[in-house]
Amino acid sequence: MEEFQDDALTLPVRLPNGKVKEFRIPSPSAEDGLRVQKLMEQSARMAEAGTPMETEVLDDAQELDLFQTALGAAYDELYAAGLDWSRFRHVAMTAVMWITAGLEMAEKYWEAEGDPSRVAPPNRAARRQASSAAASTTKRRGSTSGTSTRKATARAPRAAKT
């Protein structure tokens, strides 16, 4: 069972000098993990309630505390590396995602370069709108018997975006 329980998150971080260094972020204590979870749940509730994005969920001191808690012993090393704010925040929020949602979500967040729209599924209203738009543009089948005069052809696989 231990192979499923990783006690650290390792991220390859590009430093200001262009080199990439791996930083190991240790798993937080149970108390700290629960605190991070609670803050993220509060943020999610605010988002679901339609709170405007510019509304501050955490003040600067609380955000810094969240990042210190999520990064643990790696905080000082990351801070000393001289990262710009956006990169530092990306590393810290990836750690928050790891703590609250697991390794898979942290990987998605990391690969999305911190853009939440590339990670989270759209909200319910957006899904409904997309669904109704697709329904109104979908062509109806001419025959319900399942027969066709065209030969079936294999679809070419879509090229992966890089």
Side-chain angles (χ1 to χ4, degrees), residues 4-65:
F4 297 110
Q5 307 270 332
D6 195 6
D7 63 347
L9 174 67
T10 302
L11 297 174
V13 179
R14 185 167 309 281
L15 301 175
N17 64 9
K19 294 181 180 178
V20 174
K21 179 179 179 182
E22 287 193 349
F23 287 87
R24 185 178 184 277
I25 301 163
S27 182
S29 68
E31 181 181 349
D32 286 345
L34 289 171
R35 191 164 50 129
V36 170
Q37 182 74 35
K38 184 177 178 181
L39 286 169
M40 290 305 291
E41 286 173 0
Q42 176 186 355
S43 299
R45 279 194 303 274
M46 289 178 71
E48 283 184 6
T51 303
M53 289 298 289
E54 62 272 1
T55 302
E56 194 172 276
V57 177
L58 303 174
D59 64 28
D60 292 343
Q62 290 170 319
E63 186 174 35
L64 184 61
D65 183 52

Side-chain angles (χ1 to χ4, degrees), residues 3 50 69 94 98 119 142 150 160:
E3 64 268 12
T69 302
T94 300
W98 172 60
V119 178
R150 292 183 295 153

Side-chain angles (χ1 to χ4, degrees), residues 90 94 105-115 118-119:
H90 183 214
T94 300
M105 182 56 78
E107 287 174 346
K108 286 180 183 179
Y109 185 84
W110 182 256
E111 291 169 6
E113 297 178 0
D115 181 355
R118 292 175 43 197
V119 178

